[in-house]
Amino acid sequence: MSHDTSEVDCVIVGAGVAGCAMAFYLKKVGLTALVVECKPPSASTFPLGHSLTPQLLASLRSLDLLEAFEQSSVTKHESPGVWISWTSEAVLFNDHYLSASSHGYHVNMDEFKQFLQSELVRRGLLLWQNTTLVSEDYDSASDSWKVQTQCNEQTSSVVCKYLIDATGRKAATCSKIIKPVAQKYDNLLAFCMLYTSDTGDQLHHSLIESVSDGWFYTCQLSPGFRVVIYFTDDNLPQARTAKKKEGFEQLLSETRHVSLLLTNNDYQASSQTVHTTLASSSAVSLTTLASLISKKVIPVGDALMAFDPLSSQGIQTAFKCAESLARSLTKKEDDVGLSDFVETISQLQDEYAAGKRYFYEQNLRFDTVFWNRRRESCASTQ
């Protein structure tokens, strides 16, 4: 790997969805970027299922990525929308894909990230993997950052105008400047298991079902390969129960529709392991964002705002943020505060708050700590 770049407009720290999207949009507006990722190219995580909506597919199309994605080997499964059992045991169809002719995809998230990274390289964009940031120093005289990186024994220096933090919820770059970077709104955790079946099933939609202290989500990543996720708060007894397969399936038995789907189609857990990941809501305040922008350090993706998966579309939000920031950076001579970008973030946060109220205020079927917390939170933010 050759690390011979000396100057770019932006150094993007993190090559996840947000970091890759940022690089694509910067290229589209004519700015240069270097993406630095500490993980090696072969790094793999648990293959959580995520939905790519038609709106997100439109974003891929605008970046000339859609055809390559649809022809790629990324594990994907077409989906027309969501079946949801929320306010009662009845199941309702939520056509969040807007029209009967539209479709989205369930995807293996790890493979989707690897696809985006491979497209960066194929298009000649700079991606340094297995590379860590050793130091970041701001030079007020040149109004720029000098970044030192290390890959194995090789150290490189790069000068950039902006540092873009795409390191996820930990906001590793921004947190060196301001702590805490984001405000945390809840303690949601996701407990995930994979189920396989020789026969598979015919449900192409996502399925969401509320239970007494959380909710279950499942989608089919490919025929006979289904991810099942349980969401609850980390300080509730159910969180301790869900950490082991026996406890997870005990909680799963509380569902009507998800458990029947698995049982009727002979699904079996693919392993004894329950994977746990953060799913809590957090967001950088507009005041903090303005302070970071003034220092030419800008969070994107989950480093900027990470919302619970029920009332937001994390991947879609990451692309919207990246597109808005790229456009704003082209106007930086006239708008050092990047007001268009800040306004976009404000609108996205408002949309999330409205979506959160819509979902949580509806659910009156359970009088439990989990649901009471959410109803009280919605009432306090109105």
Side-chain angles (χ1 to χ4, degrees):
M1 181 186 296
S2 175
H3 287 190
D4 56 2
T5 294
S6 59
E7 186 170 352
V8 292
D9 291 308
C10 301
V11 168
I12 303 167
V13 187
V17 169
C20 291
M22 193 72 249
F24 287 125
Y25 279 114
L26 287 171
K27 178 177 174 61
K28 186 175 182 179
V29 299
L31 298 178
T32 57
L34 163 65
V35 185
V36 178
E37 172 58 60
C38 64
K39 297 177 183 177
S42 59
S44 180
T45 58
F46 182 76
L48 282 175
H50 284 260
S51 295
L52 305 187
T53 66
Q55 296 93 324
L56 189 278
L57 297 184
S59 296
L60 294 180
R61 183 181 294 108
S62 73
L63 293 168
D64 295 324
L65 287 168
L66 183 58
E67 183 177 354
F69 164 71
E70 292 186 328
Q71 294 177 357
S72 73
S73 61
V74 174
T75 301
K76 58 180 98 55
H77 198 67
E78 279 195 19
S79 173
V82 180
W83 287 106
I84 183 167
S85 173
W86 195 247
T87 58
S88 70
E89 285 194 347
V91 177
L92 301 175
F93 177 57
N94 177 10
D95 183 10
H96 63 279
Y97 296 129
L98 300 182
S99 72
S101 61
S102 296
H103 71 271
Y105 288 101
H106 298 142
V107 298
N108 179 312
M109 193 60 199
D110 197 43
E111 293 178 8
F112 182 64
K113 290 177 185 177
Q114 291 174 10
F115 160 75
L116 293 177
Q117 292 169 3
S118 67
E119 283 297 306
L120 286 180
V121 175
R122 190 178 71 82
R123 295 171 184 226
L125 282 76
L126 295 172
L127 170 61
W128 293 357
Q129 293 178 298
N130 200 23
T131 301
T132 56
L133 263 66
V134 179
S135 64
E136 313 91 17
D137 298 302
Y138 178 70
D139 178 23
S140 57
S142 61
D143 193 25
S144 61
W145 285 90
K146 182 177 182 180
V147 176
Q148 283 198 326
T149 68
Q150 184 169 354
C151 178
N152 299 322
E153 300 300 321
Q154 181 180 354
T155 301
S156 303
S157 295
V158 181
V159 175
C160 64
K161 299 173 184 176
Y162 286 91
L163 276 176
I164 298 180
D165 187 342
T167 59
R169 295 169 187 265
K170 61 185 178 181
T173 303
C174 291
S175 63
K176 296 178 183 178
I177 298 171
I178 295 178
K179 290 186 177 181
V181 177
Q183 179 181 354
K184 186 177 177 182
Y185 296 108
D186 58 58
N187 298 300
L188 199 66
L189 279 180
F191 299 88
C192 321
M193 289 197 70
L194 295 176
Y195 286 80
T196 59
S197 167
D198 292 336
T199 58
D201 63 84
Q202 298 303 310
L203 182 66
H204 302 297
H205 309 70
S206 302
L207 175 59
I208 296 172
E209 184 171 357
S210 64
V211 291
S212 58
D213 279 285
W215 77 87
F216 275 87
Y217 164 90
T218 183
C219 72
Q220 197 170 183
L221 296 180
S222 61
F225 188 75
R226 184 170 281 280
V227 62
V228 180
I229 307 176
Y230 173 60
F231 297 93
T232 193
D233 287 338
D234 63 5
N235 54 3
L236 291 179
Q238 289 78 5
R240 293 191 294 274
T241 301
K243 289 180 179 179
K244 295 184 178 180
K245 175 179 178 289
E246 295 76 12
F248 183 93
E249 295 195 328
Q250 174 189 330
L251 293 164
L252 179 61
S253 68
E254 185 183 339
T255 66
R256 176 183 178 185
H257 305 288
V258 177
S259 57
L260 277 176
L261 174 66
L262 298 177
T263 301
N264 291 345
N265 294 282
D266 298 321
Y267 277 96
Q268 301 293 326
S270 63
S271 76
Q272 297 293 312
T273 304
V274 178
H275 298 263
T276 306
T277 186
L278 288 175
S280 55
S281 305
S282 61
V284 175
S285 71
L286 297 183
T287 300
T288 300
L289 180 59
S291 178
L292 288 166
I293 289 173
S294 71
K295 296 174 173 60
K296 295 186 178 293
V297 181
I298 309 174
V300 293
D302 283 352
L304 175 58
M305 47 187 179
F307 298 140
D308 77 58
L310 184 67
S311 40
S312 73
Q313 291 286 342
I315 302 175
Q316 188 172 310
T317 299
F319 271 74
K320 286 181 179 178
C321 292
E323 181 179 21
S324 176
L325 177 55
R327 289 177 176 175
S328 292
L329 288 174
T330 63
K331 306 175 184 178
K332 58 185 178 301
E333 298 300 331
D334 301 318
D335 183 10
V336 293
L338 305 180
S339 59
D340 288 349
F341 173 63
V342 174
E343 178 60 27
T344 296
I345 301 311
S346 177
Q347 290 174 359
L348 289 171
Q349 291 181 351
D350 289 345
E351 289 172 7
Y352 166 70
K356 181 178 179 180
R357 286 194 297 270
Y358 172 78
F359 279 107
Y360 287 130
E361 289 179 345
Q362 285 187 83
N363 197 325
L364 303 176
R365 64 188 292 203
F366 301 110
D367 183 15
T368 60
V369 173
F370 180 89
W371 294 106
N372 289 336
R373 283 175 179 172
R374 278 145 182 83
R375 286 189 286 267
E376 290 167 4
S377 175
C378 290
S380 67
T381 57
Q382 284 184 337

